[in-house]
Every structure is written in C-alpha cells, then in structure tokens.
Amino acid sequence: MPELPEVEHVVRALSPVVVGRRILAAELNLKRIAPGISRPAFARRLRNSRITEVGRRGKYILFKLESGHVLTTHLRMTGKFVALTNDQSLPPYAHVIFYLDDDRRLVFCDMRQFGRMNIFKAPLPKELQTLAPEPLSDEFTEDYFIETLARSRRPLKHLLLDQTRVLGLGNIYAVEALFLAGVNPMKAANTLSKPRARKLYQAIRDVLQEAIDAGSTLRIDLADGNGSYLGAPERFWRVYERASEPCVSCETKIRRVVQGGRSTYYCPKCQKR
Ligand SMILES: [Zn+2]
C-alpha cells in the first residue's frame, strides 16, 4: 500500500500532466470506485472542468477544479493513475477514464478495486476534516505533538498510526521513527518525557523526509500501464521486518511483537520502556 511519501510522489508526477488541462469527459466504468456519487453525476460534474491544482491531504490526492469542485482519490492498495495518448490501448483494470483536452487520457486503474474517488464542494468531507496536521508542515508543531501525547494513554505505536492524531505514518514509518528516537512502542503516550517526545517528533519528520527524498528513485511512470507504483527498489529499514537480526546500533536481536493486529519491530536494548 502506498504510504504518504509515495503518494507525495504520485502528486508530483501528476502535476505536470494534468494542471491546466480541461477534462472534456469523464467515465466512471466501475461504480464501486466512487460509491458516493452516481455515474451520470460523476460525468456531469467533471465535464469541461479545468484542473487548476493537484495536491494532497494525507493520502488523499486532490484535483482542484475551476468549478470549485474537488475530486478526491485514495489509492488504497493498488490504485494508480496512467496517462495515455489516444492511440495507446487501455491498460488492464481501467475503471475511470478522463479525456483531457490535449488528446490524452488519464486513466485510473485498480486491480483490487479498493481505490476510492469522490467529488465534493466545500466543506471538506468528514474523513478529510478530521485528519491531523500535515507532518512536514508548520502546523505540525512540537507543542501540538507533545500535547497530543499527553492526552492519550494508548501505547505510542497505536497513537502514531491514528491519522486523526499524527498524520502520515504507516506501519513501517511508525516503527522506524520509534527506533530512531529510542522509544519503546508499547509505552503509554502520556508517560513519555518531554525530551524524548521531542526526539520522537524529530524522528517522525526525519523518516518521512528521508522517504520523500528516497522517493526520487521510485520512477513513477504515468505512461506505463503495466507498471506498479510499488515497483520501487527495496529500501533499507533499520528495524522493520528485521526480527532476530542484529540491531544496527547495538547488535541486540530485533524483536517482533503484534500490536493491534500489526507487527511492531524494536530493539529491546535501544528502546527500553
Ligand atoms: Zn539496539
């Protein structure tokens, strides 16, 4: 599943392709991709709309339209955008097609069909309104983070995955950030000292920034209908999926535990309770 840093790169790849383009027509071929809107309404709202901006809020990709509407896309497991010229044949699982005014088609493909789209006009839908501040923005301050921890008795790992509290960490980045900060994932959030909370705050920003920087090697190719956004080269993780391997800093064996149904990896020596 693409995480926030990967979605950021999808937005960057989409931007030169779609910003300023007019959608001449839009076809929703698989209804379940946009359950909140009928197929005719989907087509009607997008027809003849110019795309003025492409952005992101959490893992939602936002196409802002001249009409004031916003098209939101969540890629979920396997959703991806492909840009095709008119003479190229449609790739497999092409569920939504946008005909652009430069004789290209932007196609949303999704093998597993979990991807979701919606169109709305202000106010933002609830699932977007409740998201925590963007982790690399100025709104995500150290004070905000420290107060958020102080208000929760949940284990830190759970809190870090709650997108309404801390945005942008999937399972991998949460365990990596906890390791970088030397903080135990099972520790109750409100028992973390301020100096260590500051370290964790910095580690969150560092792992996300590092992932975005590394993403320049992702090679998101919008013209490749058969490729996958997840075809990225293997990244090196400090603790993630390294159970029983030696810790990169102290050589103690990395431990794996299951928290809330997800695997947590940590070094029992570097991340004492
Ligand atoms: Zn260690």
Side-chain angles (χ1 to χ4, degrees):
M1 179 181 307
E3 300 285 352
L4 184 138
E6 288 89 62
V7 176
E8 173 66 26
H9 280 281
V10 174
V11 168
R12 291 181 191 184
L14 279 169
S15 188
V17 174
V18 301
V19 172
R21 298 269 66 85
R22 193 174 286 280
I23 299 171
L24 301 177
E27 276 172 18
L28 173 62
N29 293 329
L30 184 69
K31 176 71 185 81
R32 66 185 289 186
I33 300 292
I37 185 165
S38 73
R39 286 154 91 160
F42 186 89
R44 202 170 49 239
R45 278 185 206 162
L46 296 177
R47 187 183 307 136
N48 270 321
S49 286
R50 191 177 292 282
I51 302 164
T52 56
E53 201 183 323
V54 182
R56 178 186 61 71
R57 182 73 180 98
K59 293 204 279 180
Y60 290 85
I61 297 168
L62 312 178
F63 284 53
K64 294 185 184 164
L65 306 171
E66 204 173 38
S67 62
H69 287 98
V70 179
L71 169 73
T72 64
T73 304
H74 200 298
L75 304 174
R76 299 277 184 89
M77 304 292 285
T78 52
K80 62 173 191 168
F81 284 103
V82 179
L84 302 172
T85 55
N86 274 341
D87 54 358
Q88 285 175 292
S89 55
L90 284 176
Y93 318 108
H95 301 316
V96 188
I97 304 171
F98 304 94
Y99 296 87
L100 305 178
D101 64 354
D102 61 352
D103 288 334
R104 279 205 281 189
R105 287 162 298 166
L106 182 71
V107 181
F108 182 72
C109 304
D110 194 347
M111 183 179 71
R112 298 194 51 189
Q113 308 180 0
F114 290 122
R116 288 294 176 266
M117 286 188 181
N118 204 352
I119 303 170
F120 64 88
K121 222 166 181 167
L124 292 170
K126 199 167 159 247
E127 70 259 32
L128 279 153
Q129 271 182 33
T130 53
L131 293 175
E134 283 295 323
L136 296 172
S137 75
D138 294 342
E139 287 151 71
F140 182 64
T141 61
E142 209 174 68
D143 285 348
Y144 167 86
F145 184 65
I146 290 170
E147 281 162 31
T148 301
L149 295 187
R151 280 198 306 266
S152 174
R153 282 180 226 163
R154 282 190 284 172
L156 278 163
K157 168 80 183 308
H158 289 197
L159 189 73
L160 294 190
L161 291 179
D162 181 346
Q163 304 295 303
T164 69
R165 300 287 178 264
V166 179
L167 186 64
L169 297 174
N171 201 42
I172 299 174
Y173 298 119
V175 298
E176 292 287 303
L178 286 160
F179 175 78
L180 258 190
V183 169
N184 188 283
M186 279 81 82
K187 194 171 173 62
N190 61 355
T191 64
L192 193 67
S193 71
K194 272 195 186 174
R196 299 183 83 197
R198 283 192 196 101
K199 265 188 121 172
L200 183 56
Y201 168 83
Q202 196 52 51
I204 290 168
R205 294 180 58 125
D206 288 348
V207 294
L208 289 174
Q209 190 59 56
E210 184 185 85
I212 287 176
D213 295 344
S216 51
T217 61
L218 267 180
R219 290 175 294 128
I220 289 173
D221 181 4
L222 291 181
D224 181 5
N226 300 308
S228 161
Y229 289 161
L230 304 180
E234 279 285 299
R235 286 274 315 277
F236 168 79
W237 306 113
R238 294 172 182 91
V239 279
Y240 181 72
E241 285 191 339
R242 296 195 58 232
S244 302
E245 290 178 35
C247 168
V248 291
S249 77
C250 77
E251 300 197 341
T252 302
K253 276 189 178 179
I254 297 300
R255 235 174 244 174
R256 173 184 174 269
V257 291
V258 176
Q259 281 184 291
R262 313 286 304 271
S263 290
T264 293
Y265 302 86
Y266 71 105
C267 171
K269 191 168 165 199
C270 296
Q271 295 170 269
K272 285 210 179 84
R273 270 199 126 144

Coordinates of all heavy atoms in Angstrom, one line a residue, residues 133-219:
P133 N -2.7 17.5 11.4 CA -2.0 18.4 10.5 C -0.9 17.6 9.7 O -0.4 16.6 10.1 CB -1.2 19.4 11.5 CG -1.9 19.3 12.8 CD -2.5 17.9 12.8
E134 N -0.6 18.2 8.5 CA 0.4 17.5 7.7 C 1.7 17.5 8.4 O 2.2 18.5 8.9 CB 0.6 18.4 6.4 CG -0.5 18.2 5.3 CD -0.5 16.8 4.8 OE1 0.6 16.2 4.6 OE2 -1.6 16.3 4.5
P135 N 2.3 16.3 8.5 CA 3.5 16.1 9.3 C 4.7 16.9 9.0 O 5.6 17.2 9.8 CB 3.8 14.6 9.2 CG 3.2 14.2 7.9 CD 2.0 15.1 7.8
L136 N 4.8 17.4 7.7 CA 6.0 18.2 7.4 C 5.7 19.6 7.2 O 6.5 20.4 6.8 CB 6.6 17.6 6.1 CG 7.2 16.2 6.2 CD1 7.6 15.6 4.8 CD2 8.4 16.1 7.2
S137 N 4.4 20.0 7.6 CA 4.1 21.4 7.5 C 4.3 22.1 8.9 O 4.6 21.5 9.9 CB 2.5 21.5 7.2 OG 1.8 21.2 8.4
D138 N 4.2 23.4 8.8 CA 4.5 24.2 10.0 C 3.4 24.0 11.1 O 3.6 24.3 12.2 CB 4.5 25.7 9.7 CG 5.7 26.1 8.8 OD1 6.7 25.3 8.7 OD2 5.7 27.1 8.1
E139 N 2.2 23.5 10.6 CA 1.1 23.3 11.6 C 1.4 22.1 12.6 O 0.9 22.1 13.6 CB -0.2 23.0 10.9 CG -0.8 24.2 10.2 CD -1.6 23.8 9.0 OE1 -2.7 23.2 9.3 OE2 -1.2 24.0 7.9
F140 N 2.2 21.2 12.1 CA 2.6 20.1 13.0 C 3.8 20.5 13.8 O 4.9 20.3 13.5 CB 2.9 18.8 12.1 CG 3.3 17.6 12.9 CD1 2.3 17.0 13.7 CD2 4.5 17.0 12.8 CE1 2.6 15.9 14.4 CE2 4.9 15.9 13.6 CZ 3.9 15.3 14.4
T141 N 3.4 21.1 14.9 CA 4.5 21.7 15.8 C 4.9 20.7 16.9 O 4.1 19.8 17.2 CB 4.0 23.0 16.4 OG1 2.9 22.7 17.3 CG2 3.7 24.0 15.4
E142 N 6.0 21.0 17.5 CA 6.4 20.2 18.6 C 5.4 20.3 19.8 O 5.1 19.3 20.4 CB 7.8 20.7 19.1 CG 8.7 19.7 19.7 CD 10.0 20.4 20.0 OE1 10.1 21.3 20.9 OE2 11.0 19.9 19.3
D143 N 4.9 21.5 20.0 CA 3.9 21.7 21.0 C 2.6 20.8 20.8 O 2.1 20.2 21.7 CB 3.4 23.1 21.1 CG 4.5 24.0 21.8 OD1 5.5 23.4 22.4 OD2 4.5 25.2 21.8
Y144 N 2.2 20.9 19.5 CA 1.0 20.1 19.1 C 1.3 18.6 19.5 O 0.4 17.9 20.1 CB 0.7 20.2 17.6 CG -0.3 19.2 17.1 CD1 -1.7 19.4 17.3 CD2 0.1 18.0 16.6 CE1 -2.6 18.4 16.9 CE2 -0.8 17.0 16.2 CZ -2.1 17.2 16.3 OH -3.0 16.2 15.9
F145 N 2.4 18.1 19.1 CA 2.8 16.7 19.3 C 2.8 16.3 20.8 O 2.3 15.3 21.2 CB 4.1 16.4 18.6 CG 4.5 14.9 18.6 CD1 3.7 14.0 18.0 CD2 5.6 14.5 19.3 CE1 4.0 12.6 18.1 CE2 5.9 13.2 19.4 CZ 5.2 12.2 18.8
I146 N 3.5 17.2 21.5 CA 3.6 16.9 23.0 C 2.3 16.9 23.7 O 1.9 16.0 24.5 CB 4.6 17.9 23.6 CG1 6.0 17.6 23.1 CG2 4.5 17.9 25.1 CD1 7.1 18.7 23.5
E147 N 1.4 17.9 23.3 CA 0.0 17.9 23.9 C -0.8 16.7 23.4 O -1.5 16.1 24.2 CB -0.7 19.2 23.4 CG -0.3 20.4 24.2 CD -0.7 21.7 23.5 OE1 -1.7 21.7 22.7 OE2 0.0 22.7 23.6
T148 N -0.6 16.2 22.2 CA -1.3 15.1 21.7 C -0.9 13.8 22.5 O -1.8 13.0 22.9 CB -1.1 14.9 20.2 OG1 -1.5 16.0 19.5 CG2 -1.8 13.7 19.6
L149 N 0.4 13.7 22.8 CA 0.8 12.5 23.6 C 0.3 12.6 25.0 O -0.2 11.6 25.5 CB 2.4 12.5 23.6 CG 3.2 12.3 22.4 CD1 4.6 12.1 22.7 CD2 2.7 11.1 21.6
A150 N 0.3 13.8 25.6 CA -0.1 14.0 27.0 C -1.6 13.6 27.2 O -2.0 13.2 28.3 CB 0.1 15.4 27.4
R151 N -2.4 13.7 26.1 CA -3.8 13.4 26.2 C -4.2 12.0 26.0 O -5.4 11.6 26.0 CB -4.6 14.3 25.2 CG -4.8 15.7 25.7 CD -5.9 16.4 24.9 NE -5.7 16.3 23.5 CZ -5.1 17.2 22.7 NH1 -4.7 18.3 23.3 NH2 -4.9 17.1 21.5
S152 N -3.2 11.1 25.7 CA -3.5 9.7 25.4 C -2.8 8.7 26.3 O -1.6 8.9 26.5 CB -3.2 9.5 23.9 OG -3.4 8.1 23.6
R153 N -3.5 7.7 26.7 CA -2.9 6.6 27.5 C -2.6 5.4 26.6 O -2.1 4.4 27.0 CB -3.9 6.2 28.6 CG -3.9 7.1 29.7 CD -4.8 6.6 30.8 NE -5.7 7.7 31.3 CZ -6.8 7.5 31.9 NH1 -7.3 6.3 32.2 NH2 -7.5 8.6 32.3
R154 N -2.9 5.6 25.3 CA -2.7 4.5 24.4 C -1.2 4.2 24.2 O -0.4 5.1 24.4 CB -3.3 4.8 23.0 CG -4.8 4.6 23.0 CD -5.3 4.7 21.6 NE -5.3 6.1 21.1 CZ -5.6 6.4 19.9 NH1 -5.8 5.5 19.0 NH2 -5.6 7.7 19.5
P155 N -0.8 3.0 23.9 CA 0.6 2.7 23.5 C 1.0 3.6 22.4 O 0.2 3.9 21.5 CB 0.6 1.2 23.1 CG -0.6 0.6 23.6 CD -1.6 1.8 23.7
L156 N 2.3 4.1 22.4 CA 2.7 5.0 21.4 C 2.5 4.6 20.0 O 2.2 5.3 19.1 CB 4.2 5.3 21.7 CG 4.5 6.3 22.8 CD1 5.9 6.3 23.2 CD2 4.2 7.8 22.3
K157 N 2.8 3.3 19.8 CA 2.7 2.8 18.4 C 1.2 3.0 17.9 O 1.0 3.4 16.7 CB 3.1 1.3 18.4 CG 2.7 0.5 17.1 CD 3.7 0.8 16.0 CE 3.3 0.1 14.7 NZ 3.0 -1.3 14.8
H158 N 0.2 2.7 18.7 CA -1.2 2.9 18.3 C -1.4 4.4 18.0 O -2.1 4.7 17.0 CB -2.1 2.5 19.4 CG -2.2 1.0 19.6 ND1 -3.2 0.3 20.3 CD2 -1.3 0.0 19.2 CE1 -2.9 -1.0 20.3 NE2 -1.8 -1.2 19.6
L159 N -0.9 5.2 18.9 CA -1.2 6.7 18.7 C -0.6 7.2 17.4 O -1.2 7.9 16.6 CB -0.6 7.4 19.9 CG -1.0 8.9 19.9 CD1 -2.5 9.1 20.2 CD2 -0.2 9.7 20.8
L160 N 0.6 6.7 17.1 CA 1.3 7.1 15.9 C 0.6 6.7 14.6 O 0.7 7.3 13.6 CB 2.8 6.6 15.8 CG 3.7 7.1 16.9 CD1 5.2 6.7 16.5 CD2 3.6 8.7 17.0
L161 N -0.2 5.6 14.7 CA -0.9 5.1 13.5 C -2.3 5.8 13.3 O -2.9 5.6 12.3 CB -1.1 3.6 13.5 CG 0.2 2.8 13.4 CD1 -0.1 1.3 13.5 CD2 0.9 3.1 12.1
D162 N -2.7 6.5 14.4 CA -4.0 7.2 14.3 C -3.9 8.5 13.5 O -3.4 9.5 14.0 CB -4.5 7.4 15.8 CG -5.9 8.1 15.8 OD1 -6.3 8.6 14.8 OD2 -6.4 8.2 16.9
Q163 N -4.4 8.4 12.3 CA -4.2 9.6 11.4 C -5.0 10.8 11.8 O -4.7 11.9 11.3 CB -4.7 9.2 10.0 CG -4.0 7.9 9.4 CD -2.5 8.1 9.2 OE1 -2.1 9.0 8.5 NE2 -1.7 7.2 9.8
T164 N -5.9 10.7 12.8 CA -6.5 11.9 13.3 C -5.6 12.6 14.4 O -5.9 13.7 14.8 CB -7.9 11.6 13.9 OG1 -7.7 10.9 15.2 CG2 -8.8 10.8 13.0
R165 N -4.6 11.9 14.8 CA -3.7 12.5 15.8 C -2.3 12.9 15.2 O -1.8 13.9 15.4 CB -3.4 11.5 17.0 CG -4.7 11.1 17.7 CD -5.2 12.2 18.6 NE -6.4 11.9 19.3 CZ -7.6 12.2 18.8 NH1 -7.8 12.9 17.7 NH2 -8.7 11.8 19.5
V166 N -1.7 11.9 14.5 CA -0.5 12.1 13.8 C -0.6 11.6 12.4 O -0.9 10.4 12.2 CB 0.7 11.3 14.6 CG1 2.0 11.5 13.8 CG2 0.8 11.7 16.0
L167 N -0.4 12.4 11.5 CA -0.7 12.1 10.1 C 0.6 11.5 9.4 O 1.6 12.1 9.6 CB -1.2 13.3 9.3 CG -1.7 13.1 7.9 CD1 -2.9 12.2 7.9 CD2 -2.0 14.4 7.3
G168 N 0.4 10.5 8.6 CA 1.4 10.2 7.6 C 2.3 9.0 7.9 O 3.1 8.6 7.1
L169 N 2.1 8.4 9.1 CA 2.9 7.2 9.5 C 2.1 6.0 9.2 O 1.1 5.7 9.9 CB 3.3 7.3 10.9 CG 4.3 8.4 11.3 CD1 4.5 8.4 12.8 CD2 5.6 8.4 10.6
G170 N 2.6 5.1 8.3 CA 2.0 3.8 8.2 C 2.9 2.9 9.1 O 3.7 3.4 9.9
N171 N 2.6 1.6 9.1 CA 3.3 0.7 10.0 C 4.8 0.8 9.9 O 5.5 0.9 10.9 CB 2.9 -0.7 9.7 CG 3.1 -1.6 10.9 OD1 2.8 -1.2 12.0 ND2 3.6 -2.8 10.7
I172 N 5.4 0.8 8.7 CA 6.8 0.9 8.5 C 7.4 2.2 9.2 O 8.3 2.1 10.0 CB 7.2 0.9 7.0 CG1 6.7 -0.4 6.4 CG2 8.7 1.0 6.9 CD1 7.0 -0.4 4.8
Y173 N 6.9 3.3 8.8 CA 7.4 4.6 9.3 C 7.2 4.8 10.7 O 8.1 5.4 11.4 CB 6.9 5.8 8.4 CG 7.3 5.6 7.0 CD1 6.3 5.5 6.0 CD2 8.6 5.5 6.6 CE1 6.7 5.4 4.7 CE2 9.0 5.4 5.3 CZ 8.0 5.3 4.3 OH 8.4 5.2 3.0
A174 N 6.2 4.2 11.3 CA 6.0 4.3 12.7 C 7.1 3.5 13.5 O 7.7 4.1 14.4 CB 4.6 3.8 13.1
V175 N 7.3 2.3 13.1 CA 8.4 1.6 13.8 C 9.8 2.1 13.6 O 10.6 2.2 14.5 CB 8.4 0.0 13.5 CG1 7.1 -0.6 13.9 CG2 8.7 -0.3 12.1
E176 N 10.0 2.7 12.4 CA 11.3 3.3 12.1 C 11.5 4.5 13.0 O 12.6 4.8 13.5 CB 11.4 3.6 10.6 CG 11.5 2.3 9.7 CD 12.8 1.6 9.8 OE1 13.9 2.2 9.6 OE2 12.8 0.4 10.2
A177 N 10.4 5.3 13.1 CA 10.6 6.6 13.9 C 10.8 6.3 15.4 O 11.6 6.9 16.0 CB 9.3 7.4 13.7
L178 N 10.1 5.3 15.9 CA 10.2 4.9 17.3 C 11.7 4.4 17.5 O 12.3 4.7 18.5 CB 9.2 3.8 17.7 CG 7.8 4.3 17.8 CD1 6.8 3.2 17.7 CD2 7.6 5.1 19.2
F179 N 12.2 3.7 16.6 CA 13.6 3.2 16.7 C 14.6 4.3 16.7 O 15.5 4.5 17.6 CB 13.9 2.2 15.6 CG 15.4 1.7 15.7 CD1 15.8 0.8 16.6 CD2 16.3 2.3 14.8 CE1 17.2 0.4 16.7 CE2 17.7 1.9 14.9 CZ 18.1 1.0 15.8
L180 N 14.4 5.2 15.7 CA 15.3 6.4 15.6 C 15.3 7.2 16.9 O 16.3 7.7 17.3 CB 14.8 7.3 14.5 CG 15.6 7.2 13.1 CD1 15.1 8.4 12.3 CD2 17.1 7.3 13.3
A181 N 14.1 7.3 17.5 CA 14.0 8.1 18.7 C 14.4 7.4 20.0 O 14.5 7.9 21.1 CB 12.6 8.7 18.9
G182 N 14.6 6.0 19.8 CA 15.0 5.2 21.0 C 13.8 5.1 22.0 O 14.0 5.1 23.2
V183 N 12.6 5.0 21.5 CA 11.4 5.0 22.3 C 10.7 3.6 22.2 O 10.6 3.1 21.0 CB 10.5 6.2 21.9 CG1 9.1 6.0 22.6 CG2 11.1 7.5 22.3
N184 N 10.3 3.1 23.3 CA 9.6 1.8 23.3 C 8.2 1.9 22.7 O 7.4 2.8 23.2 CB 9.6 1.2 24.7 CG 9.0 -0.2 24.7 OD1 7.8 -0.4 24.6 ND2 9.9 -1.2 24.8
P185 N 7.8 1.1 21.7 CA 6.5 1.2 21.1 C 5.3 0.9 22.0 O 4.2 1.4 21.7 CB 6.5 0.2 20.0 CG 7.9 -0.4 20.0 CD 8.6 0.0 21.2
M186 N 5.6 0.1 23.1 CA 4.5 -0.2 24.0 C 4.2 0.8 25.1 O 3.3 0.7 25.8 CB 4.8 -1.6 24.6 CG 4.4 -2.8 23.8 SD 5.7 -3.1 22.6 CE 6.9 -4.1 23.6
K187 N 5.1 1.8 25.2 CA 5.0 2.8 26.3 C 3.7 3.6 26.1 O 3.4 4.0 25.0 CB 6.2 3.7 26.2 CG 6.4 4.5 27.4 CD 7.8 5.2 27.3 CE 8.0 6.2 28.4 NZ 7.9 5.6 29.8
A188 N 3.0 3.9 27.2 CA 1.8 4.7 27.1 C 2.2 6.1 26.7 O 3.2 6.7 27.3 CB 1.1 4.7 28.5
A189 N 1.5 6.7 25.8 CA 1.8 8.0 25.2 C 2.1 9.1 26.3 O 3.0 9.8 26.2 CB 0.8 8.4 24.2
N190 N 1.1 9.1 27.3 CA 1.2 10.2 28.3 C 2.3 10.0 29.3 O 2.5 10.9 30.2 CB -0.1 10.4 29.0 CG -0.6 9.2 29.7 OD1 0.1 8.1 29.7 ND2 -1.7 9.3 30.4
T191 N 3.1 8.9 29.2 CA 4.2 8.7 30.2 C 5.6 9.1 29.5 O 6.6 8.9 30.2 CB 4.2 7.3 30.7 OG1 4.5 6.4 29.6 CG2 2.9 6.9 31.4
L192 N 5.5 9.5 28.3 CA 6.8 9.8 27.6 C 7.3 11.2 28.1 O 6.6 12.2 28.1 CB 6.6 9.8 26.1 CG 7.9 9.8 25.3 CD1 8.6 8.5 25.4 CD2 7.6 10.1 23.8
S193 N 8.6 11.3 28.5 CA 9.1 12.5 29.0 C 9.2 13.5 27.8 O 9.2 13.1 26.6 CB 10.5 12.3 29.5 OG 11.4 12.0 28.5
K194 N 9.2 14.8 28.2 CA 9.2 15.8 27.1 C 10.5 15.8 26.2 O 10.4 15.8 25.0 CB 9.1 17.2 27.7 CG 7.7 17.7 27.9 CD 7.5 19.1 28.1 CE 6.1 19.5 28.4 NZ 5.9 20.9 28.8
P195 N 11.7 15.6 26.8 CA 12.8 15.5 25.9 C 12.7 14.3 24.9 O 13.1 14.4 23.8 CB 14.0 15.2 26.9 CG 13.5 15.7 28.2 CD 12.0 15.5 28.2
R196 N 12.2 13.2 25.4 CA 12.0 12.0 24.5 C 10.9 12.3 23.5 O 11.0 11.8 22.3 CB 11.8 10.7 25.3 CG 13.1 10.5 26.2 CD 12.9 9.2 26.9 NE 13.4 8.1 26.1 CZ 13.1 6.8 26.4 NH1 12.4 6.5 27.4 NH2 13.5 5.9 25.6
A197 N 9.9 13.0 23.9 CA 8.8 13.3 23.0 C 9.4 14.2 21.9 O 9.0 14.1 20.7 CB 7.7 14.0 23.7
R198 N 10.3 15.1 22.2 CA 10.9 16.0 21.2 C 11.7 15.2 20.2 O 11.7 15.4 19.0 CB 11.8 17.0 21.9 CG 11.0 18.2 22.5 CD 11.8 19.3 22.9 NE 11.1 20.2 23.8 CZ 11.2 20.2 25.1 NH1 12.1 19.4 25.7 NH2 10.4 20.9 25.9
K199 N 12.4 14.2 20.8 CA 13.2 13.3 19.9 C 12.3 12.5 18.9 O 12.6 12.4 17.8 CB 14.0 12.3 20.8 CG 15.4 12.7 21.1 CD 16.1 11.5 21.8 CE 17.3 11.1 21.0 NZ 18.2 10.2 21.7
L200 N 11.2 12.1 19.5 CA 10.3 11.3 18.6 C 9.7 12.2 17.5 O 9.5 11.8 16.4 CB 9.2 10.7 19.5 CG 8.2 9.8 18.8 CD1 8.8 8.6 18.0 CD2 7.2 9.2 19.8
Y201 N 9.3 13.4 17.9 CA 8.8 14.4 17.0 C 9.8 14.6 15.8 O 9.4 14.5 14.6 CB 8.5 15.7 17.7 CG 8.3 16.9 16.8 CD1 7.0 17.1 16.3 CD2 9.3 17.8 16.4 CE1 6.7 18.2 15.4 CE2 9.1 18.8 15.6 CZ 7.8 19.0 15.1 OH 7.5 20.1 14.3
Q202 N 11.0 14.8 16.2 CA 12.0 15.0 15.1 C 12.2 13.7 14.3 O 12.4 13.8 13.1 CB 13.4 15.4 15.8 CG 14.4 16.0 14.8 CD 13.8 17.1 14.0 OE1 13.2 18.1 14.5 NE2 13.9 17.1 12.6
A203 N 12.2 12.5 14.9 CA 12.3 11.3 14.2 C 11.2 11.1 13.2 O 11.4 10.6 12.1 CB 12.4 10.1 15.2
I204 N 10.0 11.5 13.6 CA 8.8 11.3 12.6 C 9.1 12.2 11.4 O 8.9 11.7 10.2 CB 7.5 11.8 13.3 CG1 7.1 10.8 14.4 CG2 6.4 12.0 12.3 CD1 6.0 11.3 15.3
R205 N 9.5 13.4 11.6 CA 9.8 14.3 10.4 C 10.9 13.7 9.6 O 10.9 13.8 8.4 CB 10.0 15.7 10.9 CG 8.7 16.3 11.5 CD 8.7 17.7 12.0 NE 9.1 18.7 11.1 CZ 8.3 19.8 10.8 NH1 7.1 19.9 11.4 NH2 8.8 20.7 10.1
D206 N 11.9 13.2 10.3 CA 13.1 12.7 9.6 C 12.8 11.5 8.7 O 13.2 11.4 7.6 CB 14.2 12.4 10.6 CG 14.9 13.6 11.2 OD1 14.6 14.7 10.7 OD2 15.6 13.5 12.2
V207 N 12.1 10.5 9.3 CA 11.8 9.3 8.5 C 10.9 9.7 7.3 O 11.1 9.1 6.2 CB 11.2 8.1 9.3 CG1 12.1 7.6 10.3 CG2 9.8 8.5 9.9
L208 N 10.0 10.6 7.5 CA 9.1 11.0 6.3 C 9.9 11.7 5.3 O 9.8 11.5 4.1 CB 7.9 11.7 6.8 CG 6.9 10.9 7.6 CD1 5.8 11.8 8.1 CD2 6.3 9.8 6.7
Q209 N 10.7 12.7 5.7 CA 11.5 13.5 4.8 C 12.5 12.5 4.0 O 12.7 12.7 2.8 CB 12.3 14.6 5.5 CG 12.9 15.6 4.6 CD 11.9 16.2 3.6 OE1 11.0 16.9 4.1 NE2 12.1 16.1 2.3
E210 N 13.1 11.6 4.8 CA 14.0 10.7 4.2 C 13.3 9.8 3.1 O 13.9 9.6 2.1 CB 14.6 9.8 5.3 CG 15.6 8.8 5.0 CD 15.9 7.9 6.2 OE1 15.2 6.9 6.4 OE2 16.9 8.2 6.9
A211 N 12.1 9.4 3.4 CA 11.4 8.6 2.5 C 11.0 9.4 1.2 O 11.0 8.9 0.1 CB 10.1 8.0 3.1
I212 N 10.6 10.7 1.4 CA 10.3 11.5 0.3 C 11.6 11.7 -0.6 O 11.5 11.6 -1.8 CB 9.7 12.8 0.7 CG1 8.3 12.6 1.2 CG2 9.7 13.9 -0.4 CD1 7.5 13.8 1.8
D213 N 12.7 12.0 0.1 CA 13.9 12.1 -0.7 C 14.3 10.9 -1.4 O 14.7 10.9 -2.6 CB 15.1 12.5 0.3 CG 14.8 13.9 0.9 OD1 14.0 14.6 0.4 OD2 15.5 14.2 1.9
A214 N 14.1 9.7 -0.7 CA 14.5 8.4 -1.4 C 13.5 8.2 -2.5 O 13.8 7.4 -3.5 CB 14.4 7.3 -0.4
G215 N 12.3 8.7 -2.5 CA 11.3 8.5 -3.5 C 11.7 9.0 -4.9 O 11.0 8.6 -5.8
S216 N 12.7 9.8 -4.9 CA 13.2 10.2 -6.3 C 13.6 9.0 -7.1 O 13.7 9.1 -8.3 CB 14.3 11.3 -6.2 OG 15.3 10.8 -5.3
T217 N 13.9 7.9 -6.4 CA 14.2 6.7 -7.1 C 13.0 5.8 -7.4 O 13.1 4.7 -8.0 CB 15.2 5.8 -6.3 OG1 14.6 5.5 -5.1 CG2 16.5 6.6 -6.0
L218 N 11.8 6.3 -7.1 CA 10.6 5.5 -7.3 C 10.3 5.3 -8.8 O 9.6 4.3 -9.1 CB 9.4 6.2 -6.6 CG 9.0 5.8 -5.2 CD1 7.8 6.6 -4.7 CD2 8.7 4.3 -5.1
R219 N 10.7 6.2 -9.6 CA 10.4 6.1 -11.0 C 8.9 5.9 -11.3 O 8.5 5.0 -12.0 CB 11.2 5.0 -11.7 CG 12.7 5.4 -11.7 CD 13.6 4.2 -12.2 NE 13.5 3.1 -11.3 CZ 13.2 1.9 -11.6 NH1 12.9 1.6 -12.9 NH2 13.2 0.9 -10.7

